[in-house]
């Protein structure tokens, strides 16, 4: 019996050998070797996706530091694959936990800010006060900008985890009521679950895109 609604998302293995988190790298074992050796449809699809994401991130970065787009493309692919893998039965959804999302957001945010404060100190101070701010509001704007900068890794992590866990939780709640419904209600519930599964597939892609784009925007503000 579940102690609460979110206990179904808890890791079920022991703390000494938490095999659940291996699902983060499970896609490497499932990708066939032909993906890396010959031109296949999955390979072509990945190339098209990579080119489009490279074009998108280059526009955000104003075509500066072109090599840095590989970092954000890799981040997008990792999150997208983990989100999609979590839709399959009996696979642990690592991206619905703050341990995973905060481990992605915090190092990126910290590295951007360290780079900015060490190499572009004046620009970082200028960013605290937007242009055109009245002199009386400058102290308040500094406080607001500081708080908004400090909470960025938390908002990135919470946004991804909350969006991933919300749909899974709704699917779990609907599935637990299946044995108490009549045949007509059961058909309606299954139809609703299939629609939610399609919606969750779209959310998995969108949240990976949002996470990587916001990270790119935070980088472009400093560079």
């Amino acid at each position: 019996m579940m102690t609460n609604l979110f206990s179904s998302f808890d890791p079920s293995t022991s703390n000494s050998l938490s095999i659940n988190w291996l699902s983060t790298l499970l896609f490497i074992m499932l990708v066939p070797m032909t993906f890396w050796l010959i031109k296949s449809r999955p390979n072509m699809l990945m190339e098209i996706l990579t080119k489009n994401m490279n074009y998108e991130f280059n526009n955000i970065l104003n075509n500066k530091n072109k090599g840095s787009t590989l970092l954000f493309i890799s981040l997008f692919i990792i999150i997208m694959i983990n989100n999609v893998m979590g839709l399959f039965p009996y696979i642990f959804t690592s991206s619905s936990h703050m341990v995973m999302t905060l481990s992605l957001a915090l190092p990126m945010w910290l590295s951007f800010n360290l780079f900015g404060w060490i190499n572009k100190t004046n620009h970082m101070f200028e960013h605290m006060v937007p242009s055109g701010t009245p002199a009386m509001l400058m102290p308040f704007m500094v406080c607001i900008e500081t708080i908004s900068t400090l909470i960025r890794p938390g908002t990135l992590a919470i946004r991804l985890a909350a969006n991933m866990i919300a749909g899974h939780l709704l699917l779990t709640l609907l599935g637990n009521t299946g044995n108490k419904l009549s045949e007509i209600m059961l058909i309606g519930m299954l139809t609703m679950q299939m629609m939610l599964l399609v919606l969750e597939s779209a959310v998995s892609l969108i949240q990976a895109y949002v996470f990587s784009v916001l990270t790119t925007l935070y980088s472009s503000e400093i560079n």
Side-chain angles (χ1 to χ4, degrees):
M1 181 178 179
M2 292 192 301
T3 56
N4 56 65
L5 292 176
F6 296 94
S7 61
S8 60
F9 299 96
D10 294 338
S12 58
T13 52
S14 62
N15 293 327
S16 58
L17 185 63
S18 185
I19 304 177
N20 297 94
W21 296 100
L22 291 178
S23 64
T24 307
L25 303 175
L26 185 62
F27 70 94
I28 297 178
M29 295 182 286
L30 297 178
V31 174
M33 288 301 296
T34 54
F35 178 83
W36 312 103
L37 298 177
I38 61 175
K39 277 284 187 180
S40 58
R41 289 183 179 179
N43 196 322
M44 294 173 64
L45 181 62
M46 188 61 69
E47 283 186 4
I48 294 172
L49 180 63
T50 304
K51 288 180 181 179
N52 289 332
M53 296 305 297
N54 184 47
Y55 176 77
E56 184 76 22
F57 293 148
N58 273 326
N59 288 337
I60 297 175
L61 296 171
N62 295 321
N63 293 322
K64 297 178 181 178
N65 302 324
K66 292 184 178 181
S68 62
T69 57
L70 294 175
L71 173 65
F72 305 113
I73 293 171
S74 302
L75 183 66
F76 168 78
I77 292 174
I78 289 172
I79 297 174
M80 179 189 68
I81 291 176
N82 277 281
N83 291 348
V84 174
M85 292 287 289
L87 297 175
F88 290 93
Y90 304 108
I91 294 182
F92 180 71
T93 311
S94 57
S95 55
S96 64
H97 288 70
M98 287 291 292
V99 175
M100 172 72 174
T101 56
L102 199 60
S103 298
L104 293 174
L106 190 59
M108 300 287 287
W109 172 85
L110 190 61
S111 61
F112 295 154
N113 280 275
L114 284 176
F115 174 81
W117 284 108
I118 292 172
N119 298 298
K120 301 182 179 182
T121 309
N122 293 332
H123 173 71
M124 296 298 288
F125 278 116
E126 292 172 358
H127 185 67
M128 291 292 179
V129 181
S131 59
T133 304
M136 294 181 61
L137 296 178
M138 285 184 180
F140 300 102
M141 291 303 299
V142 171
C143 294
I144 293 171
E145 288 294 327
T146 303
I147 294 172
S148 66
T149 302
L150 291 175
I151 66 174
R152 279 179 176 178
T155 55
L156 276 175
I158 293 172
R159 179 186 291 109
L160 178 58
N163 280 282
M164 290 310 301
I165 205 171
H168 288 62
L169 183 62
L170 192 55
L171 287 170
T172 303
L173 289 174
L174 287 174
N176 290 337
T177 59
N179 56 352
K180 301 177 183 179
L181 300 177
S182 61
E183 293 181 358
I184 298 177
M185 294 292 291
L186 184 61
I187 294 174
M189 187 268 290
L190 290 175
T191 305
M192 189 178 298
Q193 276 196 323
M194 286 188 288
M195 294 173 63
L196 283 173
L197 189 60
V198 174
L199 179 63
E200 274 295 288
S201 303
V203 170
S204 300
L205 302 177
I206 293 170
Q207 288 306 313
Y209 176 77
V210 168
F211 191 100
S212 56
V213 166
L214 287 177
T215 308
T216 311
L217 286 172
Y218 297 156
S219 174
S220 65
E221 288 182 1
I222 296 172
N223 294 323

